[in-house]
Amino acid sequence: KKIELDDQAQMFLKKQGLSNQSIPAKGKMVLLRGNSNISTGGDSIDFTDQMHPYFSEIALKAARAFGAKFCGIDIILEDYRNPDSNYGIIELNFNPMIVMHAYPYEGQERRLGYNILKTIGLVD
């Protein structure tokens, strides 16, 4: 998704002594936001195969607790490979953006559309 230099991005640039006309030095990290959501220009990186199964189970339990057949679950955690890692569920999205899984910036594509349609009974 194309990055928009909205008011928040302009504010982050200004805090770093930069503007939308600045040319940062090679290797300099420039922050445009305080988050990295896909909808605001973040990159989707698939870690599914490296993720410890414990966190998948946590996500499934959360979805079941809300009676969701499918949903997106945002979890923040210290180490996705360690089941003893501290974690927290940030939110459940009942209208998840699945395109980030079908076309990740990095990692394996996960075509979820058919499985979602099957889950809600629209295909056999």
Side-chain angles (χ1 to χ4, degrees), residues 11-30:
M11 179 186 71
F12 267 79
L13 286 171
K14 187 175 180 179
K15 283 183 176 181
Q16 297 166 87
L18 301 169
S19 74
N20 63 349
Q21 299 299 310
S22 297
I23 301 173
K26 184 177 180 177
K28 178 176 173 59
M29 181 181 293
V30 176

Side-chain angles (χ1 to χ4, degrees), residues 26-93:
K26 184 177 180 177
K28 178 176 173 59
M29 181 181 293
V30 176
L31 301 176
L32 299 177
R33 306 196 92 66
N35 64 17
S36 63
N37 294 337
I38 301 299
S39 62
T40 58
D43 294 325
S44 60
I45 301 174
D46 183 286
F47 284 94
T48 304
D49 295 332
Q50 294 90 5
M51 180 84 54
H52 193 281
Y54 175 74
F55 298 110
S56 295
E57 191 57 39
I58 293 295
L60 287 170
K61 286 179 182 179
R64 288 182 190 126
F66 283 88
K69 290 189 176 193
F70 71 92
C71 67
I73 302 175
D74 294 349
I75 302 175
I76 189 166
L77 52 113
E78 290 178 341
D79 183 349
Y80 60 90
R81 297 163 300 219
N82 180 358
D84 295 323
S85 179
N86 290 327
Y87 71 92
I89 295 174
I90 299 172
E91 66 182 350
L92 278 70
N93 299 296

